[in-house]
Amino acid sequence: ETGVTQSPTHLIKTRGQQVTLRCSSQSGHNTVSWYQQALGQGPQFIFQYYREEENGRGNFPPRFSGLQFPNYSSELNVNALELDDSALYLCASSVAGRYEQYFGPGTRLTVT
Amino acid sequence: EDKVVQSPLSLVVHEGDTVTLNCSYEVTNFRSLLWYKQEKKAPTFLFMLTSSGIEKKSGRLSSILDKKELFSILNITATQTGDSAVYLCAVLTGAGSYQLTFGKGTKLSVIP
C-alpha cells in the first residue's frame, strides 16, 4: 500500500452541482497529479501540481480546477457536473524530477 | 497526440500458465514506461523501464522495453488466481512536468 490517501471514498452528486475531492501525498513527495478513469478505460491525466502551482494539464475543460497546499496535499474541484464526469478519480504523488508515481485508492464519483 | 495501445484487452488462462501482455506506444518526449496492476481501485506500481533491452524482474513477473520498435512486454510465469487484475501500461512524457498516458489495460483472469 502506498501512503497516498484520498477522500471521500464514494460520492453521489446531481448534474450541475460542484464537488471537491481531496488527496494527501506520500511522505516526502512534493508533486501531485490527478487522473480520471472512466469505466473500462485507462486513467486520463487531468493536471499536476508542484509548489502549489499547476504544472501541466491534460485535455480537460476549465471547470476542472485544483489546488495544492504547503503540506503538498491537494484538492480537485469540478464545477457544473455533467453525467460524463462519473468516474474514478485517482491522485498520484511523486517527487519532482523522479519518474515513479504512486496512486491513492481513488474517489468514485457518480453524477445523476 | 500521444497514444498507448495494449493487447490483448482481456485474457483468460488457467493457473500455472505463462502469459505475455503487450504494450505499444507512439508519444513525444518519452521519459519512461511504467506497468501497474489494478485490482480494485488504486493502480499499484510494478515496473519502470527507461532503457532498451534491460529486463526487470520481480518474482514471477518480468518486463522489457524496446525503444526502437516502441513496445514493451510484461510476462507472468506460473500464474496464480491472485494475478487476476487489470494490467495497465503507461508512458511517462514531458519536459519539466511529467504526465502518464495510459493504455486501456489488459484484464487478466486466472482460473483454478
Side-chain angles (χ1 to χ4, degrees), chain B residues 15-16 37 39 60 78-85 108-112:
Chain B
E15 264 191 319
K37 177 182 182 182
E39 291 178 84
R60 296 176 293 102
T79 50
Q80 302 171 357
T81 54
D83 295 327
S84 296
L108 174 65
S109 300
V110 182
I111 52 179

Side-chain angles (χ1 to χ4, degrees), chain B residues 1-80:
Chain B
E1 188 181 325
D2 293 344
K3 197 162 80 166
V4 176
V5 178
Q6 292 185 246
S7 65
L9 292 181
S10 68
L11 194 54
V12 180
V13 300
H14 287 95
E15 264 191 319
D17 287 351
T18 293
V19 298
T20 299
L21 310 184
N22 304 295
C23 176
S24 64
Y25 61 91
E26 288 178 42
V27 302
T28 53
N29 276 322
F30 175 91
R31 295 294 175 183
S32 190
L33 186 143
L34 292 85
W35 285 96
Y36 289 88
K37 177 182 182 182
Q38 188 173 30
E39 291 178 84
K40 288 184 180 175
K41 283 192 173 179
T44 54
F45 175 79
L46 294 175
F47 295 112
M48 184 177 74
L49 302 150
T50 306
S51 301
S52 257
I54 299 174
E55 186 182 49
K56 292 267 181 110
K57 283 195 74 139
S58 176
R60 296 176 293 102
L61 277 66
S62 64
S63 184
I64 197 160
L65 173 67
D66 185 329
K67 287 169 76 173
K68 184 179 173 189
E69 300 297 328
L70 307 183
F71 77 89
S72 173
I73 60 172
L74 174 68
N75 282 317
I76 309 175
T77 59
T79 50
Q80 302 171 357

Side-chain angles (χ1 to χ4, degrees), chain A residues 9-10 33 35 37 40-43 45 48 55-58 88 90 97-106 108, chain B residues 1 30-32 34 36 38 40-45 48 50 86 88 92 96-105:
Chain A
T9 307
H10 295 94
S33 303
Y35 293 83
Q37 187 176 22
Q41 303 294 315
F45 176 70
Q48 182 180 88
N55 183 41
R57 189 178 183 95
L88 180 66
L90 296 162
R98 297 284 303 269
Y99 293 165
E100 302 96 323
Q101 294 189 13
Y102 296 92
F103 285 84
R108 171 75 64 190
Chain B
E1 188 181 325
F30 175 91
R31 295 294 175 183
S32 190
L34 292 85
Y36 289 88
Q38 188 173 30
K40 288 184 180 175
K41 283 192 173 179
T44 54
F45 175 79
M48 184 177 74
T50 306
V86 174
L88 294 165
L92 190 80
S97 155
Y98 301 133
Q99 68 182 67
L100 289 169
T101 300
F102 282 85
K104 289 187 176 182

